[in-house]
Structures are given as structure tokens and as C-alpha cells.
Amino acid sequence: MGRRARTAGEKAVDQLTKLLTPPMEWDEAELLTLDNIRKATDRGTILADLLAIEVAKTPVSTRRVVELSAEIRQTESNVLRWSASLNPDAAVNAPKSVRHQQAANIRWGN
């Protein structure tokens, strides 16, 4: 019995996980985001297949092509946004402005 081929979503998650430097691990929220990325990428693959079928039909249903194209664009946008929200290099924190540091110090009484 053969091995099941990895889906596009699983491959995308694998690529994102390769960005982690050992011994870093994804936290629970990031794992949920990765699961959303996996599902959306797999859904995008299905939508792309459906779009190819619709475009091959004669006559082409422009309404259906536009609907599928919009769904694909939205799915791709979500995957990119979710991917950007992950921080695989947590050791590199965003710099804090002096103003924000002073405000935090005043709040905490330092």
C-alpha cells in the first residue's frame, strides 16, 4: 500500500516550520494559525481545479469564473496574512520606541 501524497497545505506548513530555528517551537495560537493556513491552502487548490474546469467548458460561465477567482484571491490573501502574523524568529523582537517604554515605566511605577 502506497504512502499518501502530502497536500499543498501540508507542504506550506512544512515550509513555514523550516523557518523556526531550533529549539524554537510554535505555540498553541500559532499552531491554530498553521492549521488555518493548511486548510485554506488545500481549499485554494480545490478552487483552482474547479476554475480550470469552468474555463475549459464551452460556453464559459463568466459569472462562475469570476466567483471562483474571487474566492481564490481571498484564500490567497488570508494565507499570506496568516503567514505574516507568525513570528518564527521570536528572538528578534520589534524595537520599542522610547515613548512607549516611558509610558510603560510610568504605568508600572518604575
Side-chain angles (χ1 to χ4, degrees):
M1 200 148 94
R3 230 173 144 185
R4 180 182 65 85
R6 298 194 53 74
T7 66
E10 291 168 337
K11 290 176 184 176
V13 169
D14 289 345
Q15 290 297 316
L16 289 168
T17 300
K18 286 180 184 177
L19 297 175
L20 285 175
T21 54
M24 300 285 293
E25 293 181 357
W26 298 118
D27 66 20
E28 289 80 13
E30 291 169 329
L31 289 173
L32 289 173
T33 301
L34 287 168
D35 192 47
N36 283 338
I37 290 170
R38 181 189 56 77
K39 289 176 185 175
T41 302
D42 290 341
R43 191 176 317 112
T45 302
I46 293 168
L47 289 169
D49 292 345
L50 290 173
L51 178 62
I53 292 168
E54 284 298 324
V55 170
K57 288 181 180 177
T58 304
V60 174
S61 169
T62 55
R63 181 185 66 81
R64 188 76 177 129
V65 169
V66 168
E67 289 172 348
L68 287 167
S69 296
E71 286 296 322
I72 291 169
R73 273 193 306 275
Q74 182 63 43
T75 301
E76 290 170 347
S77 175
N78 287 339
V79 168
L80 290 174
R81 186 170 34 87
W82 292 329
S83 297
S85 74
L86 297 173
N87 185 10
D89 191 10
V92 179
N93 294 326
K96 298 175 188 169
S97 71
V98 173
R99 182 173 150 226
H100 287 102
Q101 289 176 7
Q102 289 172 341
N105 287 335
I106 289 170
R107 278 195 305 271
W108 292 101
N110 293 338

